[in-house]
Amino acid sequence: MPEKVVPGPVSDERRIREAVCIHTKKIFDSCKDKDCIEDLRVYPTRGCQEVIDRAVSVKAGCAELLYAYIDVEPVTFNRGFYTVDVRYFYRITADAFVGAARPVEITGLAVFDKRVILFGSEGSAKVFTSTGKNCGSDIQGLPATTAPTAVVESVDPIILGMKLVEVCQCHHHDNCCEIPPAVCACFPEELVTGGDVHRLFVTLGQFSIIRLERDTQLLMPAYDYCMPEKDCDCGCDCRQEDPCELFRKVQFPVGEFFPPNHCPAPKSVEYQDVRGCC
């Protein structure tokens, strides 16, 4: 009797049971990028702006990617290609030094716009689904356009530099835009966009992957139905189990007592310096 097929690498001895047609998203085009975003203005909260106006210097903290707004539009002069406009919203934290006192943590918002052109093929079919809840007024999954779906994968950026500048010395373009309510809710106070004495600028290193996908049907080999083999633990009898017996099953945390002798080599000196703050 042949060995039972389970998810994972498949050997040549196992037979394919049947060919099945599945509905999934196919990636038509994708790209990866490493952006160095220089002198990006930080819009602090009102309380933090008062600290920045009295600060003599700042020390970089961490950057967190809060949200990415994505817009897809067809390229008129090249059929099948689309522009993908991405607007990243970051939460920036830093330490501001006011005189000889201890540093004060400040936080603010930074915004970065990016555009790429990818191939997404063409399609004119209107897809209807039965997911509607209201039989009278609900439109069942009618797409607004036939454009492909854009997916953006990004990690939290690395702060490569930060500086404090007098307003009279600023020659940077102010790219303040409409901020989504969900992003504003990530800050305890309203954000300040003007009337300041000092302005904060940050340089970020951003890694991202952008791809265009479309719904499609693919013919795939199938071996069998995927039935879980592992039993579910910690049911109703878990409370009656001996706690000492449960503790014996926990692996001893050797790494907590003996730190590793080697660490992965950093990609660059700048990466090692700035990433350690997080």
Side-chain angles (χ1 to χ4, degrees):
M1 184 176 180
E3 184 183 355
K4 186 174 182 179
V5 177
V6 296
V10 180
S11 62
D12 296 335
E13 295 80 14
R14 298 175 177 176
R15 293 182 179 180
I16 298 176
R17 183 173 180 178
E18 63 176 331
V20 296
C21 185
I22 66 170
H23 182 93
T24 186
K25 287 187 176 294
K26 178 182 176 181
I27 300 176
F28 280 81
D29 199 3
S30 62
C31 64
K32 60 183 178 68
D33 209 348
K34 182 172 64 174
D35 295 298
C36 181
I37 315 164
E38 295 186 82
D39 294 340
L40 199 62
R41 183 179 172 183
V42 179
Y43 300 95
T45 61
R46 183 163 302 277
C48 293
Q49 182 63 60
E50 297 175 359
V51 176
I52 293 175
D53 288 340
R54 296 182 290 109
V56 294
S57 63
V58 291
K59 179 183 177 182
C62 296
E64 178 187 1
L65 177 60
L66 297 176
Y67 179 69
Y69 172 79
I70 309 170
D71 183 55
V72 181
E73 295 292 338
V75 178
T76 55
F77 58 85
N78 202 346
R79 295 181 60 182
F81 284 82
Y82 297 81
T83 59
V84 181
D85 292 289
V86 186
R87 174 165 288 171
Y88 296 95
F89 295 88
Y90 306 103
R91 176 165 51 195
I92 308 297
T93 59
D95 289 330
F97 294 87
V98 182
R102 296 181 59 183
V104 180
E105 184 178 85
I106 56 176
T107 182
L109 174 71
V111 182
F112 169 58
D113 292 326
K114 179 181 179 65
R115 168 175 287 189
V116 299
I117 298 179
L118 295 174
F119 176 74
S121 189
E122 295 180 279
S124 58
K126 294 182 179 181
V127 181
F128 297 85
T129 64
S130 59
T131 57
K133 296 181 179 180
N134 300 324
C135 60
S137 60
D138 193 31
I139 299 179
Q140 298 181 350
L142 176 63
T145 64
T146 58
T149 302
V151 178
V152 177
E153 296 184 43
S154 300
V155 296
D156 288 340
I158 305 167
I159 296 183
L160 303 176
M162 181 174 287
K163 61 183 179 181
L164 197 63
V165 180
E166 296 279 350
V167 174
C168 60
Q169 300 176 357
C170 291
H171 302 285
H172 303 81
H173 177 65
D174 192 351
N175 61 343
C176 183
C177 59
E178 183 179 355
I179 304 172
V183 175
C184 293
C186 296
F187 298 90
E189 299 177 294
E190 63 174 332
L191 300 171
V192 177
T193 59
D196 45 2
V197 177
H198 290 160
R199 289 184 180 177
L200 193 62
F201 292 89
V202 66
T203 298
L204 300 177
Q206 173 71 68
F207 297 92
S208 61
I209 296 177
I210 303 176
R211 63 178 183 266
L212 287 182
E213 302 176 342
R214 279 188 183 274
D215 287 344
T216 186
Q217 293 78 38
L218 297 177
L219 190 64
M220 305 291 293
Y223 297 91
D224 206 338
Y225 289 104
C226 185
M227 180 65 65
E229 297 292 334
K230 184 176 64 174
D231 295 331
C232 297
D233 295 329
C234 288
C236 58
D237 296 334
C238 224
R239 300 176 182 175
Q240 302 176 359
E241 191 170 351
D242 186 4
C244 292
E245 184 64 26
L246 288 175
F247 181 73
R248 294 188 188 98
K249 297 178 181 179
V250 179
Q251 188 177 3
F252 192 88
V254 179
E256 299 295 330
F257 293 88
F258 303 97
N261 295 326
H262 303 283
C263 62
K267 295 183 179 180
S268 63
V269 176
E270 293 80 7
Y271 179 86
Q272 185 183 22
D273 292 342
V274 299
R275 196 60 176 178
C277 68
C278 297

